[in-house]
Amino acid sequence: MKPPPSRAGAFKYGPRPGTFVAGRGDLAERLQCGPEGGAVRAVGTAGVEAALGAWNAVMFEIKKICCIGAGYVGGPTCSVIAQMCPEIRVTVVDVNESRINAWNSPTLPIYEPGLKEVVEACRGKNLFFSTNIDDAIKEADLVFISVNTPTKTFGMGKGRAADLKYIEACARRIVQNSHGYKIVTEKSTVPVRAAESIRQIFDANTKPNLNLQVLSNPEFLAEGTAIKDLKNPDRVLIGGDETPEGQRAVQALCAVYQHWVPKERILTTNTWSSELSKLAANAFLAQRISSINSISALCEATGADVEEVATAIGMDQRIGNKFLKASVGFGGSCFQKDVLNLVYLCEALNLPEVAHYWQQVIDINDYQRRRFASRIIDGLFNTVTDKKIAILGFAFKKDTGDTRESSSIYISKYLMDEGAHLHIYDPKVPREQIVVDLSHPGVSEDDQVSQLVTISKDPYEACDGAHAVVICTEWDMFKELDYERIHKKMLKPAFIFDGRRVLDGLHQELQTIGFQIETIGKKVSSKRFPYAPSGEIPKFSLQDPPNKKPRV
């Protein structure tokens, strides 16, 4: 039934049955028909406003969720949502069949403390993992996009800009398989205005009986504590359009989180602010790590202890003590990618000074890795050629099996370039993953990995006959090793290079055993073996385009 025209503005049919558009000058607001199919009639401006308010007050209830992407964000996030919202059916989909099979098996594809218990409690009840992407999209009220957004390695913006090809592919697949009303939400870390790109694809492919709302809901979880962060978040951020329909979608997603998150911790913003807040948050955290790492270099030159300095400045409430742990450098999927994305955004918006400022965060991180590798080479009498070096830890941090942008990859590359034989041990990273990471075209050449790298089953095997032990990940188990047993089977002098400060409380004991200890941000040994300083290690980034094509 077509509603009669009013004096305030004529009604015309909207983009789907049961929807009309009220035209009042430049204002066009969609009005939903009543449950019996009758039109909402608005007489005069006040009537239009009242009808809009009544329509917007009707809460859209989310009963089925589809998450595209079964990785480190999508898998844990949707598992927790399923546990906290037993009345909502959650389906996680992915094109990678082996990954989905792993999610449906006793051995999950990722390691995260507490994740297995959550999955096993919900899987098969209201939590499902599938490769049937199209059907999951069709049935869902809410679709999360949680796919990878890697940094571009070629073309415009290479080395800085995010590659949104997977986001675009998701948007096209969603609009192809959707009908009726659906909320589409960015979960992936995306550049500012990515939601606008998704919306343009939706608008260009619109069809009758289709209304897609786009939200931004960035994830702030930290790997290693993801389940804890998801169940007790500092905040949940939801960004959407500042229109009645946009706000209705925002409130629908808020209702999902309000099952377990206090209302005051749920922040709603416009889409721009939500997207930029994610980049800014990771940039600030990375900045703090680079700041304390820069001070660690100064501490080593002066005799100060960076841990004592960090404690002193961290007691200032204006600064706080979080993220002031000096190390061999930050890694993971987000920090470097998001800072580089921020740099590219500033360059694109003609803010070169701001771009240069944030680029320094990445430069200090690269410097810290090269500096640590140089200390290893210099400490071993300026040569590591044909020497066995034990690498303890390959994940980018403890309590995760994620190796993306891990400092261990960079340290291993620098040592392989010098001809060192590496024996690598990590309690959670599979052998296959280590080999894949070190076989990256930018990391090694030809058969370098097969000739120089051995994956060890336990730390004692890795250290047997080694010239040096290099700790690259702060696994708690490394504090509890029998170092007297390790020392007996190492070549003398035996070196320990602690890139994570995990052995701070054992220095006296280790020196008594006979170890030569080098650590970040502190001079431990009063007497060091003389060496001739080596040349500077060249810069390297996994984001750089490879010098040769990868072998298929």
Side-chain angles (χ1 to χ4, degrees):
M1 178 186 299
K2 187 173 181 179
S6 71
R7 293 181 182 178
F11 284 86
K12 58 183 178 180
Y13 283 111
R16 66 186 190 281
T19 303
F20 300 96
V21 177
R24 295 177 293 142
D26 295 332
L27 178 63
E29 300 289 1
R30 291 175 183 171
L31 298 180
Q32 177 67 51
C33 284
E36 303 302 323
V40 175
R41 288 177 170 81
V43 181
T45 303
V48 172
E49 298 293 352
L52 286 172
W55 177 83
N56 195 45
V58 178
M59 175 67 72
F60 176 73
E61 185 178 1
I62 295 172
K63 297 180 179 179
K64 293 183 179 180
I65 294 175
C66 166
C67 177
I68 305 177
Y72 281 90
V73 173
T77 300
C78 287
S79 297
V80 169
I81 290 177
Q83 186 180 47
M84 296 302 185
C85 308
E87 74 281 9
I88 297 178
R89 179 186 175 95
V90 181
T91 304
V92 183
V93 295
D94 201 294
V95 295
N96 189 328
E97 186 174 356
S98 62
R99 177 178 292 176
I100 291 299
N101 290 338
W103 278 109
N104 285 317
S105 74
T107 305
L108 302 184
I110 63 176
Y111 172 74
E112 190 68 41
L115 175 60
K116 186 176 182 181
E117 291 77 8
V118 173
V119 171
E120 290 179 346
C122 303
R123 190 171 55 196
K125 298 176 183 177
N126 70 321
L127 175 63
F128 303 90
F129 298 93
S130 172
T131 55
N132 193 343
I133 300 174
D134 294 344
D135 284 352
I137 292 173
K138 290 174 184 176
E139 296 175 2
D141 302 311
L142 168 69
V143 179
F144 283 127
I145 299 179
S146 299
V147 295
N148 193 20
T149 53
T151 302
K152 292 181 69 174
T153 57
F154 60 89
M156 292 181 61
K158 67 178 181 181
R160 286 179 170 81
D163 189 342
L164 299 183
K165 62 183 178 183
Y166 301 121
I167 295 285
E168 180 180 344
C170 283
R172 295 187 182 280
R173 196 159 188 173
I174 290 169
V175 74
Q176 179 183 350
N177 291 282
S178 294
H179 60 274
Y181 183 84
K182 205 178 296 291
I183 300 172
V184 179
T185 305
E186 303 170 333
K187 265 291 180 190
S188 305
T189 301
V190 294
V192 177
R193 305 210 81 160
E196 185 174 317
S197 301
I198 295 173
R199 193 177 293 109
Q200 286 179 356
I201 293 173
F202 290 167
D203 291 344
N205 293 274
T206 189
K207 52 190 176 183
N209 192 32
L210 178 61
N211 184 357
L212 299 176
Q213 291 297 312
V214 182
L215 302 181
S216 170
N217 177 215
E219 198 54 71
F220 294 99
L221 60 85
E223 289 184 41
T225 59
I227 301 303
K228 176 184 174 183
D229 296 340
L230 287 165
K231 290 186 175 182
N232 186 31
D234 294 329
R235 79 288 201 197
V236 171
L237 181 59
I238 302 173
D241 288 345
E242 296 175 313
T243 63
E245 279 194 328
Q247 292 305 300
R248 183 172 182 246
V250 168
Q251 292 307 314
L253 183 53
C254 285
V256 174
Y257 284 110
Q258 284 173 7
H259 281 76
W260 78 96
V261 181
K263 197 170 183 178
E264 60 271 16
R265 293 190 190 178
I266 301 176
L267 307 179
T268 60
T269 68
N270 65 40
T271 312
W272 264 81
S273 296
S274 177
E275 292 174 333
L276 185 56
S277 294
K278 172 64 175 178
L279 295 182
N282 281 342
F284 272 59
L285 294 174
Q287 176 198 49
R288 285 176 68 92
I289 296 174
S290 284
S291 294
I292 198 64
N293 280 343
S294 70
I295 299 299
S296 74
L298 187 60
C299 288
E300 292 167 25
T302 60
D305 183 347
V306 72
E307 284 289 302
E308 294 176 350
V309 174
T311 300
I313 64 176
M315 292 179 72
D316 188 326
Q317 294 183 1
R318 298 168 299 174
I319 299 173
N321 59 3
K322 303 294 185 182
F323 278 74
L324 291 180
K325 183 73 174 178
S327 69
V328 69
F330 60 75
S333 64
C334 288
F335 281 4
Q336 176 154 314
K337 180 180 70 173
D338 287 359
V339 175
L340 289 173
N341 203 332
L342 189 62
V343 170
Y344 181 71
L345 177 65
C346 295
E347 291 174 343
L349 296 175
N350 196 27
L351 300 170
E353 292 82 4
V354 181
H356 179 72
Y357 174 83
W358 288 109
Q359 180 63 44
Q360 292 302 304
V361 172
I362 299 298
D363 292 345
I364 286 292
N365 199 52
D366 293 339
Y367 165 72
Q368 186 78 340
R369 290 163 168 168
R370 289 183 283 112
R371 197 172 67 84
F372 186 66
S374 292
R375 288 185 67 188
I376 296 171
I377 297 168
D378 293 344
L380 293 175
F381 314 109
N382 205 27
T383 180
V384 293
T385 304
D386 292 330
K387 291 182 177 179
K388 176 179 178 179
I389 298 178
I391 304 290
L392 299 187
F394 201 79
F396 84 91
K397 63 185 285 189
K398 72 174 184 177
D399 294 333
T400 181
D402 194 354
T403 62
R404 288 175 290 181
E405 286 296 335
S406 173
S407 291
S408 300
I409 299 174
Y410 289 80
I411 301 303
S412 298
K413 182 239 181 335
Y414 297 142
L415 295 177
M416 284 194 296
D417 286 348
E418 296 288 329
H421 289 268
L422 307 182
H423 289 244
I424 302 172
Y425 169 76
D426 189 283
K428 292 298 177 182
V429 180
R431 177 188 185 280
E432 296 75 17
Q433 186 61 52
I434 296 175
V435 172
V436 167
D437 288 335
L438 295 183
S439 299
H440 185 282
V443 176
S444 61
E445 298 179 358
D446 300 326
D447 298 325
Q448 203 173 17
V449 173
S450 61
Q451 295 174 0
L452 297 178
V453 176
T454 301
I455 312 302
S456 300
K457 297 179 180 178
D458 65 71
Y460 298 104
E461 177 185 292
C463 298
D464 190 0
H467 290 76
V469 175
V470 179
I471 299 177
C472 290
T473 310
E474 68 278 21
W475 289 103
D476 292 334
M477 67 175 296
F478 296 153
K479 303 176 186 177
E480 302 167 359
L481 297 177
D482 185 346
Y483 283 98
E484 191 164 354
R485 171 185 169 185
I486 290 174
H487 184 266
K488 287 179 180 178
K489 293 195 174 183
M490 288 180 65
L491 296 183
K492 311 301 186 296
F495 292 83
I496 293 179
F497 296 90
D498 186 359
R500 294 290 179 178
R501 298 288 300 244
V502 298
L503 303 179
D504 276 11
L506 301 175
H507 287 170
Q508 187 62 49
E509 177 184 342
L510 293 172
Q511 286 179 312
T512 301
I513 292 173
F515 280 107
Q516 175 86 9
I517 303 171
E518 298 288 342
T519 192
I520 296 287
K522 180 182 180 181
K523 286 183 178 179
V524 178
S525 303
S526 56
K527 294 182 180 180
R528 294 189 62 188
F529 291 91
Y531 61 85
S534 63
E536 182 183 0
I537 291 178
K539 293 182 179 180
F540 157 72
S541 173
L542 287 171
Q543 309 302 335
D544 291 339
N547 294 323
K548 60 185 179 70
K549 294 182 179 179
R551 288 176 296 175
V552 178

